[in-house]
Amino acid sequence: MHCELQKIACELGIREIKYTGEVSSYPKDDSSYAITRDPSKCILCRRCETMCSKVQTVNMLSAINRGFKTIISSPFNLPIAETNCTFCGQCVSICPTGALTEVDYTSKVWDAINSDDKIVIAQIAPAVRATIGEEFGFEAGTIVTGKLVSALRILGFDKVFDTNFAADLTIVEEATEFMHRLQNNGRLPMLTSCCPGWINFFEHDFNDLMDVPSTCKSPQQMFGTMAKTYFAEKMNINPENIVVVSIMPCLAKKYEAARPEMQTNGIKDVDIVLTTRELAKMIKESGIDFASLKDENFDSPFGESTGAGTIFGASGGVMEAVLRTVYEWITKKSIPDLEFNAVRGIHGIKESSIKINDMDINIAIANGLGNARKLLEMIRNNEANYHIIEIMACPGGCIGGGGQPYIQGNTEILKKRAEALYRDDATKSIRKSHDNPYVLKLYEEFLGEPYSKKSHNFLHTYYTKK
């Protein structure tokens, strides 16, 4: 083991190390809201290091406490919360021993469900419906939305809503923001802001470009805000008695929900975030026969969504959803083809353009932070000629999130998951976010106009240099 440590130190440019004993002598690190590391389970396989440094290019080697200290100051001795970790969770997804895991909030959810004075609401992210079935023996790419809703009700959730509704809301706001920039000589390119992993990456490594990302909150946070304002008002519920639980494919969503700016009127937008794996564990420990469950529908008013909201879970899906709306709003015509095949697929970087009236809108999509770095460097160096860019931190987008069922980099499974979301989109009667009647009603009854002052107060955020 000592030889291995010497090798690592050499690669890091550390000239002298002092070996202090077994890895197990180091304490468990639960300093962050998203990732826990247990050095006693680490076998120094370096998979996490390769993922973090070579694939994601975060170079956050302090994610792994390897059982040695340097005589000089070393990032290995820092808690995860004090590093530049993006909490994307890709290190967790490939750790073979469980030395790296998500912070487990299932006990908090059980406590909330068993509380007599709390209304516990679940929201389900787009990608989860295409992946959680794998935990129960379903073939990869099987949509199990109805069974998932049924399982959550059996677990004891008072309301089960669809984050896809909030994805539609996000598109209406984000498309309006993009048009505002486009037509008023605003900052371009505009970058989508749905992924908290890439936002954290941006705040650390590219904070000289603060005016580039959209200011829209993610669908998770928009949903939480509306649940504790609009929904609470309609149902005459004290928002302090509402517990919003998000079922997400992502570990960074745990971090995002804990950000101090993600609250409304002093109340957190989202209280607890569970990964796909954590929810599967809850279902299993409750003895629920998931495969035999009957399909049930989401509750209203946040249960109605469009196909555009569904494809958020795949790389390129946010871009495609935005283009469906922007095209019709600018041209005042129906879009001739809803499928933008050029932005689909799990390739690291995708480029295309779409003609809207007399203008070619240049677009780019990146999935994986290493690919995001390439695009962001181009923007920084004024080498990019894009109008709008989608970035997702994880391979394939949310379908490959750090909280999804483990697949060890199996790209065929990623493709099946994405294909499932596109099939689900194709079956929807409404496939454009701006046509969602419940989103339109939300603006009419509560928010006013998209991108208005009130919408900004509830649905937009700001970023912080780190």
Side-chain angles (χ1 to χ4, degrees):
M1 181 181 291
H2 191 60
C3 293
E4 175 69 11
L5 300 180
Q6 292 283 5
K7 180 181 177 182
I8 296 169
C10 182
E11 291 178 1
L12 292 173
I14 297 170
R15 295 182 178 180
E16 187 175 7
I17 66 172
K18 182 184 294 183
Y19 184 58
T20 60
E22 295 298 324
V23 178
S24 59
S25 66
Y26 282 79
K28 190 174 183 179
D29 181 359
D30 55 3
S31 61
S32 84
Y33 292 103
I35 296 175
T36 296
R37 63 178 173 186
D38 185 350
S40 69
K41 297 179 180 179
C42 180
I43 58 172
L44 300 178
C45 69
R46 303 180 68 182
R47 295 182 190 180
C48 54
E49 178 190 324
T50 300
M51 175 61 73
C52 190
S53 300
K54 305 298 184 182
V55 179
Q56 296 294 68
T57 69
V58 177
N59 299 316
M60 205 285 294
L61 301 183
S62 51
I64 315 97
N65 198 328
R66 296 186 179 278
F68 67 91
K69 293 182 180 179
T70 61
I71 288 179
I72 60 174
S73 175
S74 169
F76 287 108
N77 302 318
L78 290 175
I80 291 177
E82 297 178 22
T83 69
N84 63 326
C85 180
T86 66
F87 308 114
C88 69
Q90 287 305 305
C91 59
V92 175
S93 71
I94 48 82
C95 177
T97 63
L100 292 163
T101 59
E102 61 261 63
V103 177
D104 190 339
Y105 291 124
T106 54
S107 63
K108 289 187 176 181
V109 176
W110 286 125
D111 289 343
I113 287 173
N114 292 319
S115 174
D116 293 334
D117 59 348
K118 297 296 183 183
I119 304 297
V120 186
I121 294 174
Q123 62 163 319
I124 304 172
V128 174
R129 70 207 65 210
T131 60
I132 196 170
E134 295 166 26
E135 293 279 353
F136 301 97
F138 287 86
E139 182 181 353
T142 303
I143 298 288
V144 293
T145 312
K147 295 183 188 303
L148 188 50
V149 173
S150 179
L152 287 165
R153 290 207 176 101
I154 293 171
L155 288 175
F157 285 89
D158 297 295
K159 295 288 182 180
V160 183
F161 293 124
D162 196 353
T163 311
N164 287 14
F165 173 91
D168 284 333
L169 180 61
T170 301
I171 287 301
V172 171
E173 283 295 314
E174 205 161 67
T176 307
E177 180 181 5
F178 175 64
M179 289 176 58
H180 185 270
R181 293 195 193 191
L182 191 65
Q183 296 168 350
N184 294 280
N185 296 315
R187 181 66 158 104
L188 295 173
M190 187 182 87
L191 275 65
T192 62
S193 55
C194 299
C195 170
W198 104 253
I199 289 294
N200 203 22
F201 176 71
F202 161 83
E203 289 178 323
H204 278 290
D205 287 13
F206 293 90
N207 53 41
D208 53 315
L209 302 174
M210 281 289 189
D211 58 341
V212 175
S214 164
T215 60
C216 288
K217 289 181 179 179
S218 71
Q220 167 177 268
Q221 299 303 136
M222 284 196 184
F223 175 89
T225 303
M226 292 299 95
K228 294 190 178 183
T229 53
Y230 173 72
F231 177 74
E233 185 179 297
K234 285 183 70 73
M235 303 300 293
N236 195 27
I237 302 172
N238 184 340
E240 293 183 353
N241 293 330
I242 294 177
V243 177
V244 173
V245 179
S246 301
I247 315 302
M248 294 285 141
C250 174
L251 273 63
K253 288 293 181 184
K254 294 173 181 278
Y255 151 82
E256 179 186 43
R259 290 181 66 128
E261 65 269 27
M262 295 300 178
Q263 53 181 280
T264 304
N265 300 324
I267 301 173
K268 286 180 64 176
D269 295 336
V270 173
D271 298 283
I272 307 170
V273 178
L274 298 179
T275 63
T276 309
R277 293 191 299 264
E278 285 177 293
L279 178 61
K281 183 179 75 171
M282 289 182 68
I283 294 171
K284 290 173 183 177
E285 67 187 16
S286 297
I288 296 172
D289 183 359
F290 187 84
S292 298
L293 293 175
K294 293 183 178 180
D295 290 348
E296 294 186 9
N297 296 321
F298 288 105
D299 291 304
S300 293
F302 302 142
E304 301 297 329
S305 62
T306 71
T310 300
I311 60 177
F312 258 59
S315 172
V318 177
M319 180 67 71
E320 184 167 346
V322 168
L323 293 176
R324 291 178 185 181
T325 292
V326 167
Y327 182 94
E328 294 201 351
W329 278 357
I330 292 179
T331 65
K332 311 298 182 185
K333 299 176 183 177
S334 294
I335 192 166
D337 190 356
L338 285 170
E339 279 79 26
F340 290 84
N341 291 316
V343 306
R344 296 184 177 186
I346 62 174
H347 307 295
I349 296 177
K350 294 164 281 187
E351 299 173 303
S352 188
S353 65
I354 177 175
K355 185 172 286 293
I356 301 181
N357 287 341
D358 297 327
M359 186 175 187
D360 289 322
I361 302 297
N362 300 322
I363 59 181
I365 299 97
N367 64 96
L369 292 176
N371 295 312
R373 184 179 292 279
K374 294 175 184 177
L375 286 182
L376 290 167
E377 290 285 5
M378 290 173 63
I379 295 172
R380 176 182 275 165
N381 298 327
N382 294 315
E383 298 171 348
N385 186 32
Y386 304 117
H387 295 91
I388 184 168
I389 296 173
E390 176 200 305
I391 294 179
M392 293 292 172
C394 296
C398 301
I399 53 171
Q404 295 281 40
Y406 296 115
I407 60 172
Q408 302 300 320
N410 188 321
T411 56
E412 290 306 310
I413 291 180
L414 281 182
K415 291 176 183 178
K416 289 180 179 180
R417 290 172 174 179
E419 290 166 359
L421 294 178
Y422 289 119
R423 287 197 307 272
D424 200 38
D425 163 42
T427 66
K428 296 283 187 177
S429 59
I430 303 175
R431 299 181 63 192
K432 294 168 283 188
S433 296
H434 59 282
D435 287 340
N436 186 327
Y438 291 89
V439 169
L440 299 178
K441 186 176 181 180
L442 175 60
Y443 279 104
E444 179 184 337
E445 294 183 350
F446 188 71
L447 289 171
E449 296 293 323
Y451 210 57
S452 64
K453 182 177 180 180
K454 190 169 185 179
S455 289
H456 263 86
N457 288 339
F458 288 111
L459 305 180
H460 291 251
T461 186
Y462 58 89
Y463 306 113
T464 306
K465 290 186 178 183
K466 295 178 179 177

